[in-house]
Amino acid sequence: MPIYDEIISYENLLKAYFQTRKCRRSKPNFQKMEMNYESILSDLQWKLKNQLYYPKSYTKFLVFEPKKRQVAAPHCHDRIVHHAIINIIEPLTENFFIHNSYACQKSKGGFKARSEIAEVYRQMYKQTPIFYALKCDIKSYFASINHQVLLTLLKKFISCEKTIRLLQKIINSYSETPGTGIPIGNLTSQLFANLYLHPLDIFVTQMVGEKNYFRYMDDFLILSPDKEYLLNLRILMKGFLKYYLKLNYHPKKNNIFRADKGVEFVGYLIKPDSITMRKKTIRKFKKDIKRGLNYLKN
């Protein structure tokens, strides 16, 4: 069955509906949708089948954790379409990403990244008492993703034209500046954002040949005993990001430093003899627990 037919099948849309309403059934718009979800799904399927589906307007609001940023939340009907897409497309990416890319993949979250980085870190510490880290992230990453570059990357592993046209509608439904930016609130954006930096992964690990490279979304870390090598690699990566992906380093977060004293990544502080959660991560964890308890109480 073609990918597009799998996406728009009623069985997949029904599964996507149940995924969408999870933890949201108490909200008025989802309660309203619950009353006639079968007709809503049939209508969505008809529009998708005839390629007449277009995303609705986003609801925009600010969040302040871990930092102030704008979230664009899609309409509940569009959330169903996003889940339907991810249900079919995500399995296609399982063997697409490099091993040391961790975000938005099954069984490859922050804990997995922490464990594997810590193992490499300890081995390097045994071999070289003094070594260094290059740690960077991207300036305004989601807001800087170029639509045309993203579509070109999607076409490399999706050959179905109807699916590409559907993805293009979702990508073009939002922009920070013309032709640039994807919404943080979309489920599809997580996959798009992870895919967008895959060319950088290939450049560093295959063309440069760096083995101690790790990436979690737009945060990446490289460990090396050679500081001069990292200085040169940072320049090479900066050029690659700017020329091929239209991206820039965060001006304050592209640092080279002594790593043998400890390195922070994916919410943990990794040292030669210990792994601890960052204080910032612990504070957030306590807030989440408190918020959850208040929710249960009310």
Side-chain angles (χ1 to χ4, degrees):
M1 182 186 295
I3 293 175
Y4 192 74
D5 291 346
E6 291 185 62
I7 291 171
I8 70 171
S9 69
Y10 192 84
E11 292 78 11
N12 187 44
L13 290 172
L14 182 62
K15 178 182 178 181
Y17 165 69
F18 289 128
Q19 291 169 322
T20 301
R21 77 174 189 180
K22 189 176 181 181
C23 301
R24 296 189 179 94
R25 296 181 72 177
S26 62
K27 294 185 178 181
N29 56 339
F30 282 90
Q31 289 180 342
K32 185 178 179 180
M33 187 167 63
E34 182 85 358
M35 297 176 68
N36 63 334
Y37 72 88
E38 290 176 329
S39 62
I40 289 171
L41 294 181
S42 295
D43 182 59
L44 264 179
Q45 186 185 38
W46 183 86
K47 287 179 179 177
L48 287 163
K49 185 176 181 179
N50 294 281
Q51 299 183 63
L52 296 173
Y53 164 80
Y54 289 93
K56 299 179 185 293
S57 299
Y58 290 88
T59 301
K60 297 180 180 180
F61 57 92
L62 294 175
V63 296
F64 297 89
E65 230 177 273
K67 59 185 177 182
K68 182 180 176 181
R69 57 185 179 177
Q70 179 178 266
V71 174
H75 190 275
C76 53
H77 294 185
D78 295 325
R79 289 180 186 270
I80 296 171
V81 177
H82 298 168
H83 274 285
I85 291 169
I86 293 300
N87 287 343
I88 305 304
I89 289 181
E90 191 174 54
L92 301 178
T93 67
E94 287 180 0
N95 298 318
F96 186 78
F97 296 109
I98 66 167
H99 179 79
N100 287 358
S101 168
Y102 296 94
C104 305
Q105 299 170 70
K106 289 181 181 179
S107 304
K108 289 191 72 179
F111 187 81
K112 178 78 169 177
R114 184 211 73 171
S115 300
E116 295 194 350
I117 292 168
E119 180 62 29
V120 172
Y121 182 94
R122 291 192 186 104
Q123 289 177 5
M124 186 167 287
Y125 184 78
K126 288 179 182 177
Q127 296 169 3
T128 314
I130 296 176
F131 61 100
Y132 301 88
L134 167 59
K135 185 183 173 188
C136 305
D137 72 11
I138 306 299
K139 179 183 178 184
S140 305
Y141 181 48
F142 278 70
S144 300
I145 289 176
N146 181 278
H147 292 179
Q148 194 56 52
V149 173
L150 175 57
L151 279 167
T152 300
L153 292 171
L154 285 166
K155 289 175 183 177
K156 288 186 176 181
F157 79 99
I158 298 175
S159 58
C160 176
E161 292 184 7
K162 288 183 178 180
T163 302
I164 289 295
R165 283 199 290 269
L166 175 59
L167 296 178
Q168 187 170 12
K169 287 178 182 178
I170 293 170
I171 291 166
N172 291 340
S173 68
Y174 178 92
S175 61
E176 293 281 340
T177 57
T180 305
I182 59 174
I184 293 174
N186 274 11
L187 179 65
T188 51
S189 293
Q190 306 301 312
L191 177 62
F192 293 161
N194 199 23
L195 171 70
Y196 198 83
L197 281 173
H198 179 67
L200 176 69
D201 299 343
I202 298 300
F203 173 72
V204 176
T205 59
Q206 296 185 16
M207 298 183 71
V208 175
E210 177 54 57
K211 295 180 180 179
N212 298 325
Y213 165 86
F214 307 91
R215 180 171 70 84
Y216 191 93
M217 196 56 78
D218 67 316
D219 294 321
F220 44 92
L221 173 75
I222 301 173
L223 300 174
S224 173
D226 189 340
K227 185 177 181 181
E228 192 67 28
Y229 164 76
L230 291 179
L231 287 166
N232 292 328
L233 183 54
R234 179 170 62 177
I235 295 170
L236 280 175
M237 292 169 67
K238 180 180 180 180
F240 183 90
L241 286 166
K242 191 172 184 64
Y243 184 79
Y244 290 102
L245 300 177
K246 319 297 183 189
L247 299 173
N248 294 296
Y249 287 144
H250 190 292
K252 296 181 180 178
K253 298 178 181 178
N254 63 104
N255 304 310
I256 296 171
F257 54 89
R258 280 271 299 269
D260 49 279
K261 303 293 184 182
V263 61
E264 289 186 356
F265 201 65
V266 293
Y268 295 91
L269 175 60
I270 301 169
K271 290 185 175 182
D273 56 353
S274 65
I275 303 174
T276 56
M277 294 177 73
R278 293 189 306 169
K279 291 181 179 179
K280 185 178 179 180
T281 306
I282 294 171
R283 287 197 299 270
K284 183 180 182 303
F285 181 71
K286 288 180 177 178
K287 283 184 180 179
D288 289 343
I289 291 293
K290 188 175 181 180
R291 191 181 297 115
L293 290 172
N294 288 334
Y295 177 79
L296 291 172
K297 185 186 294 184
N298 295 327

